[in-house]
Amino acid sequence: MPYDVNQTPEQVARDRIDDRLRAAGWHVQNKDAIDFRAGPGIAARGYQTSIGPSDYVLFSDGRPVGIIEAKPDSWGARLTTVEEQSEGYANAELKWIPDSDLQPFLYESTGQITRFTNGRDPKPRSREVFTFHRPETLNGWANAQRSLRAGIAALPPLNPAGLRECQENAITNLEISLKADKPRALVQMATGAGKTFTAITQVYRLLKYADARRVLFLVDTRNLGEQAEQEFLAFIPNDGNRKFTELYNVQRLTSPSIAKDSQVVISTIQRMYATLKGEELAEGVDEENPAEQRWQRNEPLPVVYNSDLPPESFDVVVIDECHRSIYNLWRQVLEYFDAYMIGLTATPDNRTYGFFQKNVVSEYRHEQAVADKVNVGNEVYFIETEITQSGDTLRPEQLVEKRERQTRARRWEVQDEKEDYTASQLDRSVVNPDQIRTVMRTFCDHWPKIFPGRNELPKTLIFAKTDSHADDIIQTVRQEFGEGNDFCRKITNGAHNPKSSLAAFRNDYYSRIAVTVDMIATGTDVKPLECLLFMRDVRSRNYFEQMKGRGTRVLTPDELQRVTPSARAKTHYVIVDAVGVTKSLKTASQPLDSKPSIPLKDLAMCLMMGDRSEETVSSLAARLSRLDNTLEPHDQAKVKQVAGKPLTTIVRDLVDAIDPDKVEADAKAAGHAEPDDAAMQVAREERIKQAATIFTGPLINLLDTIRRDKEQTIDHENLDELLRAGWEGDIAENAQATAREFEVYLAEHRDEIEALTIFFSQPARRSEVSHAMVKAVLAKLREGSPRLAPLNVWRAYAHLDDYKGTHPVSELTALVSLIRRVCGLDEVLTPHSGRVRRNFQEWILKRHAGAGEKFSEEQIDWLHMIRDHLVTSFTIERDDLELAPFEAQGGLGRMYTLFGDRMDDIMAEMNKALAA
C-alpha cells in the first residue's frame, strides 16, 4: 500500500512492519491500549522495559515471546548491528510483568528486510526471513522442549545398515552441515546411486530424532513426484520394521490444500507456486520440465505472503534434480520458506554450486559409482548413414507424399522444384522412411554382435524427436524385427496409459523396445535397460547425462533374468548412436533467451504460470491474432472445443486485459475515484489473470501443433545408405584421417589462395586477412573437397585435442581457427571468438597500464562494437563504419568525434592486436 509522502523514514518503516504483522496474524496495538481479547497474537508498540521502550513486544496467548526492533530502509545493509539492541530489550524486565520469562525470539526489520534470531538455538544466529512468523508458530516453539537446531545438534550417530558407502557418507556429511547451521547443502550423487533413498533416510532421521515438523520434497515434473511418492511408500527404516508411511503422513500435492497433519509434502514447483498464489494449477503444466523450455522468464516469479502457507510451513525443503534451472526462474518460491534447503543432483553446473553456496556435502561421480559397482559403464556403437549425416534432395517432378502431423491424413503431389533438406530437418518437416528403416535394419542385424550370446534383444530404449517421429520408429521396428505390437511400445506423456506401458517395460518380458520423447529421459528408473538408441541429438550436457543415466542402473542377475532370461548379469549398457549425439558439442545449461523471437508455446506457458507483464500479453495476443487469420474452419472448431470459446474471443480477452480504459474502469469500480499507479497495476493484473485462466496444457499444445507446418513431406524416393556400423574405438582413426586430409589440402593450396599464403608464409600479416579472403577459402574448399566442411573438420580436431569448449560461431570462424591450428599459430584448437575477446582484454589492459591517455566509458563501448565485429569479420575498415551496428550509433562521423585523428590508428592497432 502507498504511504504518506510526509512521513519520516522511521514512520514508513513502522507502517510497513504493522502491515506485515497484521498479515501474519498479529493484532498491532499501542502499549496503552493492549487488549488480549483481540486474538492470540498481540504486537504491542512502544512497550516499556527496564532499559527503555521497545519498538514492539510480541505476546502469544498473553505470554511475551519476542522483540522487534524497527529501523528505516537506510539500515537495511547494517541490520546485524542492531542485534545487540534487540538482545538488550529481550534480557530487560518488562513493565507490569515482574520476573517476566520472555522467550528470546528476536527480529530486526525495516519492513522490507527482516532478520530473525531464535535464542533457543545452541548457537543463536540471525537469518533473513520472508516476514514475521505467526503467533501460533512462536507459541509452539516456546512450548517445545527444544528448537529444531537443538534437535539437529543432538542427532544420534547414523546406523549404516542397509546403506551404500556413498549414501552413508552423504548423510553423515549432510548432518555435519546441518549441525553447523548451514542453510543450503548440495548432495551430488551419480544417477542410480540412490539419491532419493538417501534423502528419505535423512528426512526420517530429522522427523524422528530432531523434532522436525514438516518437510517439503520438491520436484519439477509430476512424473518425478509420483516416483518419489512410491519410494516413500516402500521405504522401511533400518531401525524398525514399519514402513515410513505407517509412521508419518505423506501427501503428494494434487490441489492447493495441504493437510495439517502431513509431515512430508511432495509437490512440483509449479504446483507450489500456484498454491502460494491461492490458485488452481492449470492442466498439464507440471508434465513438462521447465528447464526444457527454449525461452523462460528472465526475472523471478513474484511471490506474496500466504497466510494459509506461511514461510515457516516447512523446516526442510528437499529439491530433487536441482541441477535444472528452476531455481533461476522460481527462486522466490524456494526462498519464501524459512527452511533448510537440500539439493539432489547427479549433474551439477556452476549455477547449482552458486545457489547452494558451494556447500557440496557429497561428491560421488559416475566414475566412482562404476568402480564401486553401484553403476555400470557404457560402450558406444555407431550407426552412420548418408542421409542421417547429409540430408538429401527432393527433385522436380518427383512424386512426394504429404502427411498431416496430427491426423496422419495423406495425399500425393508432384514436387514443383528442387528442394534440399538437411539432416536437422529430418523427421520434422521432412520424413525419409528409408533413413529410419536403414538405421533400424542395421540395429536388427547387428544387435547379436553388440550383445553376443543373447537369445532375445536386451531391453532397449529409443529416444525420438517428436511423437510423430516415435510413431514412425515404432512401425518400422515392428516390421524390421518381424514382431507384433507388444514387442515395441510408445511411452510418452501423450500416449495411451503410459504408466501401464512403463510398468510392463520395467517388469515384464514384453515390451522389448520402448520409444520415448521425454517421459523416460530423466528421473524414471528402468533397471533392466541395457541399450539406449539415440534417434535425436541433444545439445544440453546435463540433459544428455540424465538420458544416459537411464541405462546405468544396476540390478541382480535374478532380477535381470526375470525380464531377459538369456542374460547372465548386467555388466554394462550400450549407447547406439545413430545421430552423432555422443560427438556433438554440448552446452553446460539452457541459456535464458529474452529476444523477441519467443516461441508461441513458451509465451503461453509463461502467461499460464503467472507472468503478468503487458509485454507477454501483447506479444501473445499478436501471435494468436496472426494464427487466427490463417486457421481453417476445422482448426477453429478444434480450438473452440478445447478452450470453450473461439480463438477470436481469446485474442480479444487478452487485448482487453491491457486496455488502459478498461483497466481504469475496473480500478474505479474497486473504489478508487482517481486510481494511482498501484491501483491500476492491481486492476491490470486481475484482468490478465482472468484472461490467462483459459490457457491449459492441452490448449497450448493444440495451438502449437496448429501453428507449426501442418504437413510433413514424405520422401519415398531417396534411399539411404549405411556408411558405418561399429564401435567407438574407430573414432580416433577417422579423426586422424580427416585431419590429415585437411592438412594436405591446405598445403596443396597455400600458394594459390591469398589467405592461406599469409597464414603459412607471412604470419605477421595475418591482421590483413579480411572477411572476403576467408570466404574465398571456404568457397574453394566447398568446390574442391566438400567432405572437408569446416564444422566436420572441427569435430575431428576437437576429438584429437580433447577439446570440450563451445561450438564455433560459424563455418568461417571455425575455418580460421583450423587454419591457425594447422599452420602452428595455435598449439591446440582455439575458438576464434574466445581468442579475439582475450586479446582485446589484454590490449585494453596494456593501453591503460601506461602513462598515456585512457579510454573513456563511451570510447570503450565503441571499442566493444569493433571487437564484436572482428569476431565475425576478422578486420575493421573505414567502410565498415557505415554498416550495422556502427551506422545506428553515428557511423564514421561518430567514431571521428570519439577518437579524432587517432581513429585510423586505433582500427589498425586493433586489427593487429586482436588477430595475434
Side-chain angles (χ1 to χ4, degrees):
M1 61 171 288
Y3 299 99
D4 191 335
V5 295
N6 296 318
Q7 289 180 301
T8 66
E10 289 79 5
Q11 291 170 328
V12 170
R14 299 289 182 94
D15 285 351
R16 284 203 195 105
I17 291 171
D18 288 353
D19 290 341
R20 284 180 170 265
L21 284 167
R22 292 187 183 102
W26 296 90
H27 295 272
V28 181
Q29 300 175 351
N30 291 324
K31 64 179 186 302
D32 298 326
I34 295 177
D35 182 358
F36 287 118
R37 295 172 301 176
I42 303 297
R45 289 184 293 211
Y47 197 98
Q48 189 68 39
T49 75
S50 57
I51 62 171
S54 170
D55 290 336
Y56 297 82
V57 174
L58 301 178
F59 293 87
S60 180
D61 284 346
R63 177 173 55 170
V65 292
I67 294 289
I68 300 175
E69 188 60 27
K71 294 295 178 186
D73 280 347
S74 58
W75 280 72
R78 43 195 177 124
L79 268 183
T80 54
T81 66
V82 187
E83 291 163 0
E84 290 185 17
Q85 190 176 357
S86 304
E87 291 169 7
Y89 288 123
N91 293 324
E93 288 289 331
L94 299 181
K95 190 174 182 181
W96 303 304
I97 309 178
D99 300 321
S100 58
D101 182 21
L102 174 65
Q103 295 294 323
F105 301 135
L106 312 179
Y107 298 88
E108 299 83 34
S109 181
T110 64
Q112 303 271 28
I113 304 295
T114 300
R115 297 191 68 83
F116 168 69
T117 303
N118 186 340
R120 302 188 69 204
D121 289 341
K123 294 181 179 179
R125 181 195 303 166
S126 71
R127 61 184 183 268
E128 187 173 333
V129 291
F130 189 84
T131 190
F132 304 103
H133 302 101
R134 297 186 64 80
E136 57 269 26
T137 301
L138 295 190
N139 197 43
W141 288 349
N143 291 329
Q145 291 185 349
R146 60 185 179 180
S147 70
L148 171 66
R149 284 157 179 79
I152 289 173
L155 278 170
L158 175 67
N159 176 4
L163 296 173
R164 294 170 176 161
E165 184 179 354
C166 60
Q167 296 170 328
E168 179 187 355
N169 291 337
I171 295 169
T172 300
N173 292 335
L174 178 54
E175 291 186 357
I176 291 173
S177 171
L178 292 170
K179 288 177 181 181
D181 200 15
K182 295 185 177 180
R184 300 181 186 181
L186 178 63
V187 176
Q188 185 272 317
M189 294 176 69
T191 298
K195 292 187 299 297
T196 306
F197 188 90
T198 301
I200 296 174
T201 302
Q202 184 66 82
V203 169
Y204 169 75
R205 285 174 56 78
L206 290 171
L207 290 171
K208 180 173 181 178
Y209 298 113
D211 304 327
R213 297 169 300 117
R214 185 185 283 168
V215 175
L216 173 63
F217 196 96
L218 204 60
V219 296
D220 60 8
T221 62
R222 186 173 63 192
N223 183 43
L224 277 181
E226 292 170 350
Q227 185 167 309
E229 182 181 32
Q230 292 303 311
E231 295 208 37
F232 273 101
L233 288 169
F235 182 85
I236 300 176
N238 59 12
D239 61 357
N241 55 11
R242 297 176 65 190
K243 290 185 176 181
F244 187 100
T245 48
E246 293 175 356
L247 300 167
Y248 303 105
N249 292 325
V250 176
Q251 177 187 10
R252 183 168 64 83
L253 210 57
T254 57
S255 71
S257 177
I258 296 178
K260 293 187 181 299
D261 61 351
S262 294
Q263 286 132 318
V264 174
V265 175
I266 302 170
S267 174
T268 62
I269 196 164
Q270 300 94 322
R271 183 168 292 283
M272 186 51 60
Y273 170 71
T275 300
L276 284 173
K277 298 283 283 184
E279 300 173 354
E280 289 286 346
L281 185 69
E283 182 183 355
V285 169
D286 54 1
E287 290 183 357
E288 182 179 356
N289 170 11
E292 294 306 310
Q293 294 179 18
R294 282 191 292 164
W295 180 86
Q296 300 166 0
R297 291 175 59 95
N298 58 7
E299 60 183 24
L301 289 163
V303 171
V304 296
Y305 181 78
N306 185 326
S307 59
D308 293 329
L309 192 64
E312 63 267 30
S313 295
F314 302 102
D315 291 325
V316 179
V317 177
V318 179
I319 311 164
D320 195 16
E321 301 295 359
C322 66
H323 65 278
R324 296 174 179 165
S325 57
I326 56 174
Y327 45 81
N328 284 326
L329 305 180
W330 307 77
R331 186 172 185 133
Q332 289 190 55
V333 177
L334 299 176
E335 295 185 339
Y336 172 83
F337 295 110
D338 180 24
Y340 288 107
M341 292 189 190
I342 301 172
L344 308 177
T345 182
T347 52
D349 57 22
N350 285 344
R351 295 173 307 166
T352 321
Y353 291 125
F355 180 81
F356 288 96
Q357 301 169 353
K358 289 187 178 178
N359 184 27
V360 184
V361 298
S362 165
E363 200 163 12
Y364 189 69
R365 301 191 179 280
H366 174 68
E367 294 77 14
Q368 296 170 274
V370 172
D372 293 343
K373 298 184 179 179
V374 171
N375 281 356
V376 295
N378 67 69
E379 296 178 1
V380 180
Y381 192 87
F382 289 104
I383 297 177
E384 298 174 353
T385 75
E386 183 71 38
I387 291 178
T388 304
Q389 292 192 347
S390 307
D392 215 315
T393 301
L394 299 170
R395 288 170 290 280
E397 307 303 322
Q398 175 182 340
L399 189 64
V400 295
E401 181 184 347
K402 296 288 186 177
R403 182 179 71 188
E404 190 170 328
R405 289 177 184 270
Q406 283 294 103
T407 66
R408 313 290 275 188
R410 302 167 185 270
R411 62 184 178 83
W412 292 83
E413 67 177 37
V414 175
Q415 182 72 17
D416 291 336
E417 57 186 18
K418 177 182 176 182
E419 180 183 347
D420 295 328
Y421 61 87
T422 64
S424 64
Q425 291 173 275
L426 275 174
D427 308 302
R428 300 191 188 278
S429 59
V430 178
V431 175
N432 186 308
D434 195 61
Q435 180 264 342
I436 299 174
R437 184 180 304 112
T438 301
V439 171
M440 293 307 155
R441 181 170 295 174
T442 302
F443 180 56
C444 180
D445 292 342
H446 286 240
W447 78 258
K449 301 176 185 176
I450 302 174
F451 295 94
R454 298 293 183 88
N455 297 329
E456 65 278 301
L457 175 73
K459 290 280 185 173
T460 299
L461 180 62
I462 300 178
F463 291 109
K465 298 174 184 176
T466 63
D467 261 15
S468 176
H469 186 209
D471 277 343
D472 291 335
I473 291 172
I474 287 169
Q475 295 173 37
T476 307
V477 165
R478 291 170 179 170
Q479 292 169 8
E480 292 301 319
F481 279 83
E483 296 284 353
N485 294 346
D486 287 345
F487 182 80
C488 180
R489 295 284 190 188
K490 181 198 286 188
I491 304 180
T492 67
N493 284 318
H496 176 69
N497 203 1
K499 292 181 184 177
S500 175
S501 298
L502 178 58
F505 183 53
R506 181 188 289 129
N507 302 315
D508 301 339
Y509 184 84
Y510 286 119
S511 56
R512 303 308 301 169
I513 297 178
V515 184
T516 191
V517 180
D518 288 314
M519 182 175 170
I520 319 181
T522 65
T524 302
D525 187 3
V526 184
K527 291 181 178 180
L529 263 178
E530 294 184 83
C531 184
L532 306 179
L533 198 166
F534 282 84
M535 290 291 283
R536 59 172 287 195
D537 199 0
V538 184
R539 295 299 180 184
S540 164
R541 185 182 306 141
N542 278 338
Y543 194 43
F544 182 47
E545 291 300 320
Q546 289 288 308
M547 295 167 84
K548 284 164 52 179
R550 300 315 97 211
T552 198
R553 310 278 180 157
V554 297
L555 74 170
T556 66
D558 287 344
E559 290 172 324
L560 178 59
Q561 288 163 10
R562 274 200 289 270
V563 296
T564 306
S566 63
R568 292 186 177 181
K570 184 175 179 180
T571 58
H572 68 290
Y573 72 99
V574 175
I575 295 174
V576 178
D577 185 355
V579 291
V581 66
T582 60
K583 295 184 285 187
S584 63
L585 292 171
K586 306 284 187 284
T587 57
S589 55
Q590 185 73 31
L592 296 178
D593 182 4
S594 57
K595 297 179 181 178
S597 55
I598 302 165
L600 180 145
K601 181 178 180 180
D602 289 348
L603 270 176
M605 287 290 289
C606 284
L607 181 66
M608 180 172 66
M609 286 310 302
D611 188 338
R612 300 294 185 249
S613 66
E614 287 192 52
E615 181 184 8
T616 296
V617 176
S618 61
S619 297
L620 181 59
R623 205 77 62 85
L624 291 178
S625 178
R626 291 197 297 269
L627 179 64
D628 190 27
N629 292 330
T630 65
L631 292 189
E632 297 176 6
H634 67 277
D635 289 325
Q636 294 278 14
K638 287 180 185 177
V639 173
K640 185 175 181 180
Q641 181 181 2
V642 173
K645 61 175 70 173
L647 185 55
T648 302
T649 304
I650 296 174
V651 173
R652 187 175 65 245
D653 290 345
L654 289 172
V655 173
D656 287 349
I658 54 176
D659 184 310
D661 293 334
K662 290 182 171 60
V663 171
E664 183 178 8
D666 285 356
K668 288 180 177 178
H672 301 276
E674 295 293 334
D676 57 12
D677 290 343
M680 290 285 286
Q681 181 66 19
V682 169
R684 185 182 299 108
E685 289 194 1
E686 182 59 31
R687 270 190 164 270
I688 294 173
K689 176 183 174 182
Q690 293 303 317
T693 57
I694 194 69
F695 290 95
T696 63
L699 176 60
I700 292 171
N701 287 330
L702 173 63
L703 292 171
D704 188 55
T705 299
I706 294 174
R707 176 200 59 80
R708 293 176 304 191
D709 294 332
K710 288 187 284 185
E711 289 186 326
Q712 296 174 312
T713 300
I714 314 297
D715 180 6
H716 291 281
E717 184 170 317
N718 288 306
L719 300 183
D720 203 0
E721 179 181 347
L722 179 67
L723 299 178
R724 171 177 176 249
W727 295 103
E728 183 183 20
D730 301 331
I731 294 179
E733 295 177 13
N734 292 341
Q736 290 169 357
T738 300
R740 283 196 299 270
E741 185 178 351
F742 183 71
E743 290 165 9
V744 168
Y745 180 89
L746 295 186
E748 290 177 350
H749 295 83
R750 58 187 289 179
D751 295 326
E752 60 185 78
I753 302 177
E754 185 178 8
L756 296 182
T757 303
I758 292 174
F759 274 110
F760 280 90
S761 304
Q762 302 165 317
R765 292 180 53 213
R766 59 184 178 273
S767 62
E768 300 173 19
V769 175
S770 66
H771 188 265
M773 290 182 186
V774 180
K775 284 187 71 174
V777 180
L778 180 60
K780 191 78 173 177
L781 191 64
R782 284 174 172 168
E783 178 184 351
S785 190
R787 273 182 19 87
L788 296 178
L791 295 181
N792 290 336
V793 179
W794 177 280
R795 283 193 288 271
Y797 275 96
H799 178 81
L800 295 175
D801 290 352
D802 197 27
Y803 173 79
K804 304 295 185 185
T806 56
H807 199 281
V809 174
S810 67
E811 284 194 305
L812 292 177
T813 57
L815 184 56
V816 169
S817 294
L818 290 166
I819 294 171
R820 289 177 62 99
R821 169 71 173 81
V822 172
C823 72
L825 285 171
D826 295 327
E827 294 183 2
V828 295
L829 196 61
T830 305
H832 175 70
S833 58
R835 183 180 57 254
V836 167
R837 288 183 168 84
R838 185 173 60 251
N839 289 345
F840 174 80
Q841 189 69 22
E842 292 173 357
W843 178 68
I844 290 290
L845 290 174
K846 185 176 179 180
R847 292 276 310 212
H848 282 201
E853 183 180 356
K854 308 296 189 294
F855 293 125
S856 68
E857 185 175 344
E858 197 170 7
Q859 288 174 323
I860 287 289
D861 289 341
W862 190 272
L863 296 177
H864 279 151
M865 284 199 296
I866 295 180
R867 177 203 65 188
D868 294 341
H869 174 83
L870 291 173
V871 166
T872 56
S873 299
F874 310 109
T875 58
I876 181 74
E877 299 173 356
R878 277 190 171 223
D879 290 345
D880 296 326
L881 297 175
E882 297 305 328
L883 303 174
F886 305 100
E887 182 185 26
Q889 304 299 323
L892 180 65
R894 183 57 182 162
M895 184 163 183
Y896 184 84
T897 300
L898 289 172
F899 297 95
D901 293 333
R902 295 181 301 146
M903 179 180 72
D904 292 319
D905 292 338
I906 290 290
M907 289 192 292
E909 194 174 334
M910 290 188 71
N911 281 334
K912 184 175 182 180
L914 272 60

